[in-house]
Amino acid sequence: MSIECKGIGKAYKHKQLFHNFSGTFSPGVCNCIVGENGVGKTTLLKIMSGILKPDTGTVTLSGMCTYAGSSPYMLRGTVMDNIMYPLTLKRQQGRRERHAVMEMIEQLGLEALKHQEAKTLSAGEKQKVALGRALVWDPEILLLDEPTANIDPSMIENIEGYLKDYLKTKNRTLVVVSHDYEQVHRLSGVL
């Protein structure tokens, strides 16, 4: 499962973010994107996910892809409802899926909040819910924008461990945008 970008170009107003960007994001490793504010890291992830269209070029995905942004949107309902939502789209509700949701809630330390209205959560709690929602349906390609930006330092290690496990279980592609250079060092190229 990989992502291939060919000749991507994108501009906003008078600012050119990309001009003829090409690259392949390989499976089995954590592909990290770093850079200064405003250079287009988030825009590139959104183009790769299909949320935004490039002005020029193409993106080819080989596998099911999901994106989790740095400013997550919470759906109406509880934490459990939000994390379960992708499974309802796949029309695969059932005991196995409920078990996967409960396991995800536990791994992200959200047990005490599972029945709380998601829109009332703190920024860090919302970030964990968005990550759980992205991971619970087991995508082959995962695009994460600042996945631990609002997370307590004590939980960052758990999340990074989960991402490493995500890569080890199957031939998966993970792309992470981060301003945390230590995190990039810990995750980049992890097999």
Side-chain angles (χ1 to χ4, degrees):
M1 307 303 136
S2 65
I3 305 170
E4 185 175 4
C5 298
K6 288 186 181 177
I8 299 296
K10 186 68 175 176
Y12 283 113
K13 296 184 182 181
H14 300 292
K15 184 176 183 177
Q16 184 75 37
L17 294 178
F18 312 112
H19 176 71
N20 202 28
F21 171 79
S22 296
T24 300
F25 296 86
S26 302
V29 296
C30 182
N31 300 270
C32 293
I33 300 172
V34 295
E36 300 299 319
N37 290 331
V39 298
K41 300 178 302 295
T42 296
T43 299
L44 180 60
L45 279 188
K46 288 181 177 181
I47 289 170
M48 288 191 293
S49 71
I51 293 171
L52 291 177
K53 299 290 182 204
D55 297 335
T56 60
T58 60
V59 175
T60 304
L61 300 172
S62 63
M64 183 175 56
C65 176
T66 193
Y67 165 84
S70 60
S71 300
Y73 179 79
M74 293 293 105
L75 304 169
R76 189 173 7 163
T78 65
V79 167
M80 186 179 293
D81 295 335
N82 270 260
I83 293 176
M84 186 171 289
Y85 181 71
L87 300 178
T88 66
L89 295 176
K90 289 175 63 179
R91 294 172 177 36
Q92 293 184 356
Q93 291 176 321
R95 193 184 336 202
R96 187 183 71 75
E97 285 73 21
R98 185 169 177 83
H99 175 74
V101 170
M102 294 307 297
E103 187 176 292
M104 186 64 58
I105 286 171
E106 185 177 310
Q107 288 176 338
L108 294 170
L110 295 168
E111 302 96 326
L113 303 173
K114 66 184 175 186
H115 298 298
Q116 185 170 328
E117 183 69 28
K119 290 186 178 191
T120 66
L121 299 172
S122 71
E125 292 163 343
K126 287 178 182 177
Q127 192 86 31
K128 289 192 271 186
V129 170
L131 185 58
R133 191 170 52 208
L135 287 164
V136 76
W137 70 329
D138 204 22
E140 295 151 326
I141 299 169
L142 183 59
L143 307 174
L144 300 176
D145 189 1
E146 299 286 352
T148 59
N150 298 307
I151 306 292
D152 293 331
S154 61
M155 189 65 182
I156 291 174
E157 186 177 340
N158 291 352
I159 291 172
E160 289 176 357
Y162 191 85
L163 294 176
K164 291 174 186 177
D165 290 344
Y166 165 83
L167 285 172
K168 288 178 187 174
T169 55
K170 297 178 185 170
N171 195 20
R172 303 296 176 82
T173 300
L174 175 61
V175 181
V176 174
V177 164
S178 181
H179 286 101
D180 182 344
Y181 286 96
E182 290 180 20
Q183 181 175 66
V184 168
H185 181 69
R186 290 189 302 267
L187 290 177
S188 187
V190 170
L191 295 175

PDB file of all heavy atoms in Angstrom, residues 69-87:
ATOM      1  N   GLY A  69      -6.799  15.163  11.041  1.00  0.00           N
ATOM      2  CA  GLY A  69      -6.204  16.487  11.084  1.00  0.00           C
ATOM      3  C   GLY A  69      -5.812  16.938  12.472  1.00  0.00           C
ATOM      4  O   GLY A  69      -6.166  16.314  13.479  1.00  0.00           O
ATOM      5  N   SER A  70      -5.111  18.057  12.515  1.00  0.00           N
ATOM      6  CA  SER A  70      -4.621  18.587  13.789  1.00  0.00           C
ATOM      7  C   SER A  70      -5.688  19.368  14.548  1.00  0.00           C
ATOM      8  O   SER A  70      -5.533  19.634  15.732  1.00  0.00           O
ATOM      9  CB  SER A  70      -3.402  19.477  13.547  1.00  0.00           C
ATOM     10  OG  SER A  70      -3.745  20.552  12.696  1.00  0.00           O
ATOM     11  N   SER A  71      -6.773  19.750  13.885  1.00  0.00           N
ATOM     12  CA  SER A  71      -7.902  20.423  14.529  1.00  0.00           C
ATOM     13  C   SER A  71      -9.137  19.564  14.292  1.00  0.00           C
ATOM     14  O   SER A  71      -9.952  19.851  13.419  1.00  0.00           O
ATOM     15  CB  SER A  71      -8.121  21.814  13.940  1.00  0.00           C
ATOM     16  OG  SER A  71      -6.986  22.609  14.124  1.00  0.00           O
ATOM     17  N   PRO A  72      -9.264  18.476  15.045  1.00  0.00           N
ATOM     18  CA  PRO A  72     -10.301  17.489  14.743  1.00  0.00           C
ATOM     19  C   PRO A  72     -11.719  18.012  14.948  1.00  0.00           C
ATOM     20  O   PRO A  72     -11.982  18.780  15.862  1.00  0.00           O
ATOM     21  CB  PRO A  72      -9.998  16.342  15.701  1.00  0.00           C
ATOM     22  CG  PRO A  72      -9.183  16.928  16.779  1.00  0.00           C
ATOM     23  CD  PRO A  72      -8.464  18.102  16.207  1.00  0.00           C
ATOM     24  N   TYR A  73     -12.586  17.566  14.079  1.00  0.00           N
ATOM     25  CA  TYR A  73     -14.005  17.873  14.169  1.00  0.00           C
ATOM     26  C   TYR A  73     -14.694  16.726  14.894  1.00  0.00           C
ATOM     27  O   TYR A  73     -14.484  15.560  14.557  1.00  0.00           O
ATOM     28  CB  TYR A  73     -14.601  18.041  12.769  1.00  0.00           C
ATOM     29  CG  TYR A  73     -16.069  18.338  12.787  1.00  0.00           C
ATOM     30  CD1 TYR A  73     -16.523  19.619  13.058  1.00  0.00           C
ATOM     31  CD2 TYR A  73     -17.001  17.333  12.568  1.00  0.00           C
ATOM     32  CE1 TYR A  73     -17.872  19.903  13.101  1.00  0.00           C
ATOM     33  CE2 TYR A  73     -18.357  17.609  12.611  1.00  0.00           C
ATOM     34  CZ  TYR A  73     -18.786  18.896  12.881  1.00  0.00           C
ATOM     35  OH  TYR A  73     -20.121  19.173  12.927  1.00  0.00           O
ATOM     36  N   MET A  74     -15.490  17.055  15.869  1.00  0.00           N
ATOM     37  CA  MET A  74     -16.245  16.041  16.585  1.00  0.00           C
ATOM     38  C   MET A  74     -17.671  15.989  16.051  1.00  0.00           C
ATOM     39  O   MET A  74     -18.330  17.014  15.872  1.00  0.00           O
ATOM     40  CB  MET A  74     -16.303  16.357  18.095  1.00  0.00           C
ATOM     41  CG  MET A  74     -14.960  16.267  18.797  1.00  0.00           C
ATOM     42  SD  MET A  74     -14.269  14.596  18.882  1.00  0.00           S
ATOM     43  CE  MET A  74     -12.982  14.701  17.642  1.00  0.00           C
ATOM     44  N   LEU A  75     -18.129  14.800  15.788  1.00  0.00           N
ATOM     45  CA  LEU A  75     -19.499  14.575  15.348  1.00  0.00           C
ATOM     46  C   LEU A  75     -20.429  14.656  16.552  1.00  0.00           C
ATOM     47  O   LEU A  75     -19.987  14.515  17.697  1.00  0.00           O
ATOM     48  CB  LEU A  75     -19.611  13.198  14.699  1.00  0.00           C
ATOM     49  CG  LEU A  75     -18.663  12.946  13.529  1.00  0.00           C
ATOM     50  CD1 LEU A  75     -18.678  11.483  13.146  1.00  0.00           C
ATOM     51  CD2 LEU A  75     -19.024  13.821  12.356  1.00  0.00           C
ATOM     52  N   ARG A  76     -21.696  14.830  16.302  1.00  0.00           N
ATOM     53  CA  ARG A  76     -22.668  14.819  17.389  1.00  0.00           C
ATOM     54  C   ARG A  76     -22.672  13.420  18.018  1.00  0.00           C
ATOM     55  O   ARG A  76     -22.584  12.417  17.321  1.00  0.00           O
ATOM     56  CB  ARG A  76     -24.057  15.140  16.839  1.00  0.00           C
ATOM     57  CG  ARG A  76     -25.072  15.359  17.895  1.00  0.00           C
ATOM     58  CD  ARG A  76     -26.380  15.834  17.346  1.00  0.00           C
ATOM     59  NE  ARG A  76     -26.408  15.811  15.891  1.00  0.00           N
ATOM     60  CZ  ARG A  76     -27.497  15.859  15.175  1.00  0.00           C
ATOM     61  NH1 ARG A  76     -28.663  15.936  15.743  1.00  0.00           N
ATOM     62  NH2 ARG A  76     -27.444  15.835  13.863  1.00  0.00           N
ATOM     63  N   GLY A  77     -22.729  13.365  19.318  1.00  0.00           N
ATOM     64  CA  GLY A  77     -22.763  12.088  20.022  1.00  0.00           C
ATOM     65  C   GLY A  77     -21.608  11.951  20.991  1.00  0.00           C
ATOM     66  O   GLY A  77     -20.819  12.882  21.207  1.00  0.00           O
ATOM     67  N   THR A  78     -21.496  10.779  21.546  1.00  0.00           N
ATOM     68  CA  THR A  78     -20.499  10.499  22.566  1.00  0.00           C
ATOM     69  C   THR A  78     -19.138  10.172  21.941  1.00  0.00           C
ATOM     70  O   THR A  78     -19.021  10.019  20.727  1.00  0.00           O
ATOM     71  CB  THR A  78     -20.937   9.296  23.421  1.00  0.00           C
ATOM     72  OG1 THR A  78     -20.956   8.126  22.576  1.00  0.00           O
ATOM     73  CG2 THR A  78     -22.305   9.512  24.067  1.00  0.00           C
ATOM     74  N   VAL A  79     -18.151  10.014  22.812  1.00  0.00           N
ATOM     75  CA  VAL A  79     -16.826   9.565  22.382  1.00  0.00           C
ATOM     76  C   VAL A  79     -16.960   8.232  21.662  1.00  0.00           C
ATOM     77  O   VAL A  79     -16.406   8.038  20.569  1.00  0.00           O
ATOM     78  CB  VAL A  79     -15.879   9.458  23.601  1.00  0.00           C
ATOM     79  CG1 VAL A  79     -14.616   8.697  23.254  1.00  0.00           C
ATOM     80  CG2 VAL A  79     -15.564  10.849  24.147  1.00  0.00           C
ATOM     81  N   MET A  80     -17.728   7.311  22.231  1.00  0.00           N
ATOM     82  CA  MET A  80     -17.911   5.993  21.617  1.00  0.00           C
ATOM     83  C   MET A  80     -18.565   6.121  20.240  1.00  0.00           C
ATOM     84  O   MET A  80     -18.145   5.469  19.284  1.00  0.00           O
ATOM     85  CB  MET A  80     -18.743   5.090  22.515  1.00  0.00           C
ATOM     86  CG  MET A  80     -18.841   3.663  22.003  1.00  0.00           C
ATOM     87  SD  MET A  80     -19.805   2.584  23.068  1.00  0.00           S
ATOM     88  CE  MET A  80     -18.773   2.534  24.502  1.00  0.00           C
ATOM     89  N   ASP A  81     -19.582   6.972  20.125  1.00  0.00           N
ATOM     90  CA  ASP A  81     -20.249   7.184  18.836  1.00  0.00           C
ATOM     91  C   ASP A  81     -19.264   7.697  17.788  1.00  0.00           C
ATOM     92  O   ASP A  81     -19.298   7.268  16.635  1.00  0.00           O
ATOM     93  CB  ASP A  81     -21.380   8.209  18.969  1.00  0.00           C
ATOM     94  CG  ASP A  81     -22.522   7.752  19.857  1.00  0.00           C
ATOM     95  OD1 ASP A  81     -22.726   6.533  20.004  1.00  0.00           O
ATOM     96  OD2 ASP A  81     -23.210   8.646  20.409  1.00  0.00           O
ATOM     97  N   ASN A  82     -18.407   8.637  18.182  1.00  0.00           N
ATOM     98  CA  ASN A  82     -17.442   9.219  17.250  1.00  0.00           C
ATOM     99  C   ASN A  82     -16.437   8.192  16.768  1.00  0.00           C
ATOM    100  O   ASN A  82     -16.104   8.157  15.585  1.00  0.00           O
ATOM    101  CB  ASN A  82     -16.733  10.400  17.909  1.00  0.00           C
ATOM    102  CG  ASN A  82     -17.446  11.702  17.675  1.00  0.00           C
ATOM    103  OD1 ASN A  82     -17.056  12.474  16.813  1.00  0.00           O
ATOM    104  ND2 ASN A  82     -18.507  11.947  18.427  1.00  0.00           N
ATOM    105  N   ILE A  83     -15.940   7.373  17.682  1.00  0.00           N
ATOM    106  CA  ILE A  83     -14.945   6.371  17.278  1.00  0.00           C
ATOM    107  C   ILE A  83     -15.597   5.260  16.456  1.00  0.00           C
ATOM    108  O   ILE A  83     -14.995   4.736  15.521  1.00  0.00           O
ATOM    109  CB  ILE A  83     -14.197   5.824  18.513  1.00  0.00           C
ATOM    110  CG1 ILE A  83     -13.348   6.956  19.114  1.00  0.00           C
ATOM    111  CG2 ILE A  83     -13.322   4.626  18.139  1.00  0.00           C
ATOM    112  CD1 ILE A  83     -12.631   6.601  20.396  1.00  0.00           C
ATOM    113  N   MET A  84     -16.848   4.944  16.734  1.00  0.00           N
ATOM    114  CA  MET A  84     -17.542   3.880  16.001  1.00  0.00           C
ATOM    115  C   MET A  84     -18.014   4.333  14.612  1.00  0.00           C
ATOM    116  O   MET A  84     -18.248   3.498  13.733  1.00  0.00           O
ATOM    117  CB  MET A  84     -18.738   3.375  16.793  1.00  0.00           C
ATOM    118  CG  MET A  84     -19.392   2.173  16.125  1.00  0.00           C
ATOM    119  SD  MET A  84     -20.628   1.362  17.107  1.00  0.00           S
ATOM    120  CE  MET A  84     -19.650   0.603  18.356  1.00  0.00           C
ATOM    121  N   TYR A  85     -18.104   5.616  14.384  1.00  0.00           N
ATOM    122  CA  TYR A  85     -18.690   6.136  13.146  1.00  0.00           C
ATOM    123  C   TYR A  85     -18.146   5.502  11.859  1.00  0.00           C
ATOM    124  O   TYR A  85     -18.939   5.100  11.000  1.00  0.00           O
ATOM    125  CB  TYR A  85     -18.553   7.662  13.095  1.00  0.00           C
ATOM    126  CG  TYR A  85     -19.149   8.252  11.861  1.00  0.00           C
ATOM    127  CD1 TYR A  85     -20.532   8.289  11.690  1.00  0.00           C
ATOM    128  CD2 TYR A  85     -18.343   8.739  10.840  1.00  0.00           C
ATOM    129  CE1 TYR A  85     -21.090   8.811  10.543  1.00  0.00           C
ATOM    130  CE2 TYR A  85     -18.896   9.264   9.690  1.00  0.00           C
ATOM    131  CZ  TYR A  85     -20.271   9.303   9.543  1.00  0.00           C
ATOM    132  OH  TYR A  85     -20.813   9.815   8.405  1.00  0.00           O
ATOM    133  N   PRO A  86     -16.842   5.379  11.664  1.00  0.00           N
ATOM    134  CA  PRO A  86     -16.358   4.778  10.401  1.00  0.00           C
ATOM    135  C   PRO A  86     -16.867   3.357  10.189  1.00  0.00           C
ATOM    136  O   PRO A  86     -17.088   2.943   9.052  1.00  0.00           O
ATOM    137  CB  PRO A  86     -14.837   4.784  10.545  1.00  0.00           C
ATOM    138  CG  PRO A  86     -14.557   5.817  11.565  1.00  0.00           C
ATOM    139  CD  PRO A  86     -15.726   5.821  12.499  1.00  0.00           C
ATOM    140  N   LEU A  87     -17.089   2.624  11.260  1.00  0.00           N
ATOM    141  CA  LEU A  87     -17.576   1.252  11.120  1.00  0.00           C
ATOM    142  C   LEU A  87     -19.024   1.235  10.650  1.00  0.00           C
ATOM    143  O   LEU A  87     -19.442   0.306   9.970  1.00  0.00           O
ATOM    144  CB  LEU A  87     -17.420   0.494  12.437  1.00  0.00           C
ATOM    145  CG  LEU A  87     -15.984   0.389  12.950  1.00  0.00           C
ATOM    146  CD1 LEU A  87     -15.941  -0.324  14.285  1.00  0.00           C
ATOM    147  CD2 LEU A  87     -15.091  -0.314  11.942  1.00  0.00           C
TER     148      LEU A  87
END
